[in-house]
């Protein structure tokens, strides 16, 4: 009975959030999924209609409700453009939690979220094991971008051009750090995030080099867990809360000024979703202290763009949705690229837009994800850039895949790498 009451309360919360939607349909023009499929059920308004009366629909066809709710990148583009201020991302995440609570998690989701993500030591060992043998299953696709593709028809990786797991992840190169405040007078807690740690350790090393250059003390504890977004997006609130608690405990054992991440997705999750979806204590990790690395460099340390030089290298900057839509951070990454002498930012002809990654969306709806990403790769090529830069490791994976498959040999770098190289 307690469960039914809980479910009723959750459905009521959803209903309250839905009342702001006027069904005006202005979200249609913004949604990258709708732009490809033209299906009303893929756009915000259609999904909100599905969610209203979720209790009844859950009983009649729960699998279909789940499938339709999952056809969303959670990019937040509809939310920032909604004239009524509908909290779309919140609604979708809550609805996914309700439907998955009702249906239960799949076996693979249970293994990934409950047994792996929540046991970072085991996860690290398994990933290291995978890194040892990945060469047997893959072959080079593009040496400039550093992508590989599968040698055999393996599920998941069959058509992808992927970045391989790092031979030495960041946590093996720098086990932990606990340096004191330098001349900057600041000390940061550093949360690299899973993709930086396991696939792009060079981004983590770039961040550490930058902190050292600006004499910022760093606290980077061992045993960091995932920020929890894969679990929350899949509707597993329990695993999400466990991950938040583990990280909060680690980062609350000492004093620091800001918690910095080089990952747009981690920053937005820790800053916005931890307080919203975790009922427990957040210790030192208060939202106002959580910052994207580029924002910290520009807004706190005061890094400024360098003077314009001749023959500057053109860098195309892709705005990650979690920075642009969730955190309204657009100028800082561009300024940090320009702060690296000899580099100039060029804008993409199509303007800012989602690259189609969307975390689990890329796994479950790869064709659709690639369809959106291909256009991004073509925009990067059309910009005339020599390098593609972004501030989210998840976007880096998608851009690498799309550029490589389109035979556009432009390397993909994190903004921090570009800045660190100039120091
Ligand atoms: S979510 Fe916003 S933009 Fe979309 S139909 Fe509702 S009110 Fe209009
Ligand atoms: S979050 Fe993005 S993909 Fe999902 S409905 Fe809104 S605009 Fe479309």
């Amino acid at each position: 009975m307690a469960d039914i009451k809980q479910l009723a309360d959750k459905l009521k919360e959803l209903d309250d959030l839905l009342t702001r939607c006027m069904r005006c349909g202005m979200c249609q023009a913004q949604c990258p999924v709708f732009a490809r499929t033209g299906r009303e059920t893929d756009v915000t308004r259609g999904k909100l209609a599905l969610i209203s009366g979720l209790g009844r629909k859950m009983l009649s066809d729960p699998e279909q409700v789940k499938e339709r709710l999952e056809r969303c990148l959670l990019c937040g583009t509809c939310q920032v453009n909604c004239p009524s201020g509908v909290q779309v991302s919140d609604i979708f995440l809550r609805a996914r939690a309700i439907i998955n609570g009702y249906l239960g998690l799949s076996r693979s989701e249970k293994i990934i979220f409950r047994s792996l993500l929540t046991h970072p030591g085991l996860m690290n060992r398994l990933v290291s094991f995978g890194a040892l043998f990945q060469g047997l299953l893959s072959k080079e696709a593009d040496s400039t971008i550093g992508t590989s593709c599968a040698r055999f028809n393996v599920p998941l990786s069959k058509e992808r051009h992927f970045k391989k797991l790092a031979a030495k992840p960041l946590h093996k190169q720098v086990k932990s750090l606990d340096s004191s405040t330098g001349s900057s007078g600041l000390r940061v807690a550093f949360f690299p995030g899973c993709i930086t740690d396991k696939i792009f350790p060079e981004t983590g090393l770039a961040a550490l080099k930058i902190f050292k250059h600006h004499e910022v003390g760093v606290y980077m504890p061992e045993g960091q867990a995932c920020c929890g977004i894969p679990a929350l997006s899949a509707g597993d609130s329990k695993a999400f809360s466990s991950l938040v608690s583990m990280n909060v405990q680690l980062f609350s054992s000492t004093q620091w000024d800001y918690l910095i991440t080089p990952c747009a997705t981690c920053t937005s999750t820790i800053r916005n979703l931890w307080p919203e979806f975790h009922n427990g204590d957040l210790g030192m990790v208060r939202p106002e202290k959580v910052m994207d690395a580029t924002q910290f460099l520009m807004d706190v340390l005061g890094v400024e763009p360098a003077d314009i030089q001749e023959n500057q290298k053109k860098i195309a900057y892709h705005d990650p949705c979690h920075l642009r839509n969730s955190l309204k951070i657009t100028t800082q990454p561009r300024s940090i690229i320009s702060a690296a002498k000899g580099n100039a930012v060029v804008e993409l002809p199509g303007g800012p837009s989602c690259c189609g990654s969307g975390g689990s969306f890329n796994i479950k709806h790869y064709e659709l994800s690639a369809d959106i990403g291909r256009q991004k790769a073509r925009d990067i090529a059309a910009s005339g850039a020599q390098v593609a830069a972004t501030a989210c490791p998840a976007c880096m994976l998608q851009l690498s895949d799309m550029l490589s498959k389109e035979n556009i040999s432009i390397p993909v770098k994190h903004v921090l790498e570009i800045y660190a190289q100039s120091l």
Side-chain angles (χ1 to χ4, degrees):
M1 187 56 86
D3 284 346
I4 291 174
K5 160 111 184 43
Q6 230 179 27
L7 179 64
D9 288 347
K10 285 181 178 165
L11 289 169
K12 169 82 179 60
E13 272 172 32
L14 261 187
D15 272 347
D16 292 346
L17 288 168
L18 285 167
T19 51
R20 294 183 84 163
C21 175
M22 305 176 298
R23 304 279 196 267
C24 65
M26 282 177 70
C27 38
Q28 258 189 9
Q30 312 294 339
C31 175
V33 178
F34 179 79
R36 295 301 180 298
T37 68
R39 284 166 52 176
E40 172 70 13
T41 49
D42 282 337
V43 80
T44 322
R45 186 174 62 176
K47 289 198 181 73
L48 295 184
L50 174 80
I51 292 168
S52 83
L54 187 64
R56 185 172 36 80
K57 283 163 198 153
M58 266 178 10
L59 293 176
S60 59
D61 194 350
E63 294 290 350
Q64 198 207 16
V65 175
K66 180 176 153 81
E67 206 274 323
R68 279 166 60 182
L69 285 178
E70 281 174 352
R71 285 172 68 85
C72 170
L73 293 149
L74 293 175
C75 64
T77 315
C78 50
Q79 180 164 319
V80 286
N81 288 289
C82 170
S84 303
V86 178
Q87 295 301 299
V88 179
S89 304
D90 254 28
I91 295 174
F92 288 170
L93 287 169
R94 284 176 197 279
R96 284 184 184 189
I98 293 173
I99 195 78
N100 282 314
Y102 178 76
L103 279 172
L105 294 173
S106 69
R107 215 178 127 94
S108 57
E109 283 172 330
K110 269 189 199 150
I111 293 172
I112 293 168
F113 304 137
R114 304 271 166 97
S115 307
L116 282 179
L117 286 190
T118 45
H119 296 88
L122 174 65
M123 170 96 170
N124 286 344
R125 285 195 293 281
L126 273 178
V127 170
S128 293
F129 185 73
L132 279 178
F133 296 102
Q134 60 188 340
L136 299 173
L137 302 170
S138 59
K139 59 182 181 194
E140 185 177 276
D142 186 302
S143 59
T144 306
I145 306 173
T147 42
S148 300
C149 56
R151 272 184 207 279
F152 315 104
N153 201 350
V154 185
L156 257 190
S157 62
K158 54 183 183 240
E159 313 132 42
R160 287 166 205 270
H161 286 195
F162 49 86
K163 297 288 289 187
K164 289 209 283 197
L165 294 165
K168 210 167 182 190
L170 182 66
H171 72 267
K172 282 202 175 157
Q173 299 190 47
V174 185
K175 218 171 171 192
S176 64
L177 270 177
D178 195 354
S179 58
S180 49
T181 308
S183 68
S184 67
L186 295 167
R187 183 168 131 95
V188 297
F190 185 51
F191 184 93
C194 303
I195 307 180
T196 299
D197 180 52
K198 291 162 182 54
I199 301 179
F200 298 111
E202 59 276 13
T203 299
L205 293 174
L208 297 179
K209 180 181 173 186
I210 294 167
F211 294 142
K212 196 168 179 187
H213 174 83
H214 289 283
E215 302 201 29
V216 172
V218 180
Y219 175 60
M220 185 176 90
E222 264 184 82
Q224 297 186 31
C226 165
C227 70
I229 190 64
L232 188 67
S233 306
D236 188 355
S237 327
K238 198 173 153 197
F240 171 77
S241 265
S242 304
L243 292 163
V244 177
S245 298
M246 288 164 74
N247 284 317
V248 162
Q249 205 178 351
L250 267 185
F251 282 102
S252 298
S253 64
T254 182
Q255 293 294 316
W256 38 264
D257 300 293
Y258 298 98
L259 185 140
I260 305 297
T261 98
C263 172
T265 306
C266 294
T267 312
S268 145
T269 302
I270 299 172
R271 196 179 157 102
N272 296 337
L273 302 181
W274 283 18
E276 182 74 30
F277 289 91
H278 175 66
N279 291 326
D281 182 22
L282 288 177
M284 293 266 297
V285 192
R286 294 194 301 277
E288 68 276 12
K289 295 178 76 173
V290 179
M291 245 186 227
D292 167 69
T294 64
Q295 186 190 14
F296 174 70
L297 290 180
M298 195 185 158
D299 298 356
V300 179
L301 294 182
V303 172
E304 287 180 354
D307 293 335
I308 295 172
Q309 298 177 319
E310 276 180 26
N311 302 321
Q312 285 181 306
K313 192 187 265 183
K314 290 181 182 173
I315 316 273
Y317 176 67
H318 159 69
D319 287 278
C321 294
H322 283 119
L323 281 195
R324 182 170 70 104
N325 295 332
S326 306
L327 300 165
K328 313 282 181 289
I329 291 175
T330 54
T331 55
Q332 293 90 335
R334 288 172 169 81
S335 297
I336 298 304
I337 292 172
S338 309
K341 278 199 185 94
N343 293 293
V345 180
V346 290
E347 297 297 334
L348 300 180
S353 62
C354 178
C355 65
S357 168
S360 59
F361 180 88
N362 175 280
I363 295 168
K364 291 182 177 163
H365 301 287
Y366 184 67
E367 298 304 329
L368 203 43
S369 166
D371 202 11
I372 299 166
R374 252 191 300 276
Q375 186 55 49
K376 178 67 64 180
R378 289 172 192 159
D379 280 355
I380 291 170
S383 74
Q386 292 132 289
V387 174
T390 189
C392 180
C395 297
M396 287 168 75
L397 290 178
Q398 174 80 342
L399 297 183
S400 300
D401 184 3
M402 297 302 130
L403 287 164
S404 179
K405 284 210 306 201
E406 288 290 295
N407 294 315
I408 303 167
S409 282
I410 296 178
V412 179
K413 298 216 176 286
H414 194 287
V415 169
L416 296 183
E417 279 179 78
I418 293 169
Y419 179 60
Q421 270 163 12
S422 75
L423 299 178

